[in-house]
Structures are given as structure tokens and as C-alpha cells.
């Protein structure tokens, strides 16, 4: 069975034995009303199935913030200042 997947800015084609293929998972379509800083702020104010960071971390506690490296499309320069604030 031939399979084509998006990869980086292009596509990658390969073959897989059909008995080993279950299904291809696709992204849910979502409406993007906000982007950049506005979306980061909205997400921090409205976490999914969690308390807000300010309710989890108390003043004076030590935390570690982990972010992606250059191999992932993560806009750390936008996200980190807002998370730290």
C-alpha cells in the first residue's frame, strides 16, 4: 500500500504492508480566531482540563520551563515571555 504524508514543507511517499496499516490520523479542523501573543494569552487564561498556572504555582516556588529546540515549529520567542510574566 502506498502512503503519502506531509513532511516538513513537502511530502514523503513510502509503502507499508496493508496488514500493518490501521488508519491515518488527520488533524481536526479548527477555527483560528487569534494568533501569536493573543492566542498564547487566551490559552493561558483558559487551560483545557487544568487549573491556571497562577493557581498551580505559588509565589516563591521554583519551576522549570521546558521548550522545544530548533527542530520543532515552536515560537518560543513569543510564548516564553508571556509564560514567564
Amino acid at each position: 500500500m502506498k502512503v503519502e504524508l506531509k513532511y516538513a514543507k513537502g511530502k514523503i511517499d513510502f509503502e507499508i504492508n496493508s496488514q500493518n496499516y490501521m488508519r491515518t490520523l488527520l488533524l481536526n479542523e479548527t477555527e483560528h480566531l487569534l494568533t501569536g501573543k493573543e492566542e498564547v494569552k487566551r490559552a493561558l487564561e483558559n487551560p483545557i482540563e487544568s487549573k491556571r498556572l497562577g493557581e498551580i504555582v505559588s509565589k516563591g516556588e521554583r519551576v522549570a520551563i521546558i521548550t522545544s529546540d530548533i527542530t520543532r515549529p515552536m515560537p518560543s520567542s513569543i510564548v516564553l515571555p508571556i509564560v514567564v510574566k
Side-chain angles (χ1 to χ4, degrees), residues 20-55:
N20 295 329
Y21 176 80
M22 192 179 278
R23 68 176 175 263
T24 302
L25 297 176
L26 302 173
L27 294 172
N28 293 330
E29 290 194 30
T30 59
E31 186 176 355
H32 300 282
L33 300 175
L34 300 173
T35 59
K37 292 179 182 180
E38 291 76 25
E39 177 58 16
V40 174
K41 290 176 185 176
R42 186 209 59 78
L44 288 171
E45 291 293 321
N46 303 284
I48 298 171
E49 295 187 31
S50 176
K51 294 179 182 178
R52 293 173 54 205
L53 284 176
E55 298 169 23

Side-chain angles (χ1 to χ4, degrees), residues 5 11 26:
L5 295 176
K11 295 180 181 178
L26 302 173

Side-chain angles (χ1 to χ4, degrees), residues 56-75:
I56 297 171
V57 179
S58 300
K59 186 175 182 176
E61 279 189 288
R62 295 173 64 151
V63 299
I65 299 173
I66 300 169
T67 189
S68 297
D69 59 17
I70 62 170
T71 63
R72 306 288 187 275
M74 170 65 179

